[in-house]
Amino acid sequence: MELELETDAAREAVSLFLAVALGLAGFAVNGWVVDLGWGNHLLLGSAVALVGLRLLPPLPAMLAISIAAAATMLRWDHPWAWLVWSIEGACLALAVRRASPILVDFLFWLLLGGPLLYLAYGGILGLQGAPLWLVIAKQSLNGLLNIWLAEALYLVLLLLPVSTRRL
């Protein structure tokens, strides 16, 4: 049985529902952290939301990623990680159909994400020296790990028997 969506409004409603569901699932998974010590944590819930890059149009995918990343505001009491991860999601959503998501994410962290973290954590929050570079390295590693996990999750979804050919 194939899921037929007759109108653009129906497609948009389903995309919005999936985006919010993926985002909330990612937010929940971000509640379980891998503690690296020195106040650094890996948050892997964004991987769930990043699956939306393959399943959704760009704007709903961006929404899913932003919802999942919002958990960082609760963990660290400031918006900077959320903002950078949301920008990362936007870059990925806009480029994923034209380039490898892992390559896009690597370039994001090298050219935009790392410098943004340097400005936010160093300039605004006043972090300096080794702790600043540790945060930048950890956030970059976390982003790359999440996109890799998202791609693996998507491949697993493709291998599962599904009742629709849409997926």
Side-chain angles (χ1 to χ4, degrees):
M1 177 179 149
E2 185 173 334
L3 179 63
E4 294 284 336
L5 299 176
E6 298 294 326
T7 66
D8 288 340
R11 282 194 251 345
E12 289 174 11
V14 168
S15 290
L16 182 60
F17 175 79
L18 286 174
V20 170
L22 286 170
L24 290 174
F27 185 97
V29 173
N30 274 335
W32 297 303
V33 299
V34 177
D35 190 351
L36 300 175
W38 306 291
N40 283 290
H41 310 96
L42 285 180
L43 301 178
L44 303 176
S46 292
V48 176
L50 286 164
V51 171
L53 293 171
R54 297 293 189 177
L55 302 177
L56 300 168
L59 285 176
M62 287 181 219
L63 176 63
I65 295 161
S66 185
I67 291 170
T72 64
M73 287 188 282
L74 298 175
R75 177 150 307 280
W76 295 308
D77 296 325
H78 60 76
W80 306 115
W82 168 79
L83 181 63
V84 172
W85 282 3
S86 294
I87 294 169
E88 174 192 21
C91 291
L92 284 163
L94 295 172
V96 75
R97 306 273 189 298
R98 293 183 290 279
S100 159
I102 294 171
L103 175 62
V104 170
D105 205 46
F106 175 78
L107 292 174
F108 168 80
W109 286 107
L110 183 68
L111 302 174
L112 191 57
L116 283 173
L117 287 174
Y118 184 83
L119 290 174
Y121 283 75
I124 297 171
L125 295 177
L127 200 60
Q128 296 178 2
L132 173 61
W133 295 110
L134 184 61
V135 166
I136 293 170
K138 192 280 308 177
Q139 291 280 78
S140 302
L141 171 70
N142 200 105
L144 289 165
L145 181 60
N146 271 304
I147 196 66
W148 181 84
L149 288 171
E151 290 292 293
L153 283 172
Y154 178 70
L155 291 174
V156 167
L157 286 174
L158 290 177
L159 296 174
L160 293 175
V162 293
S163 62
T164 69
R165 289 180 290 175
R166 253 341 203 199
L167 186 59

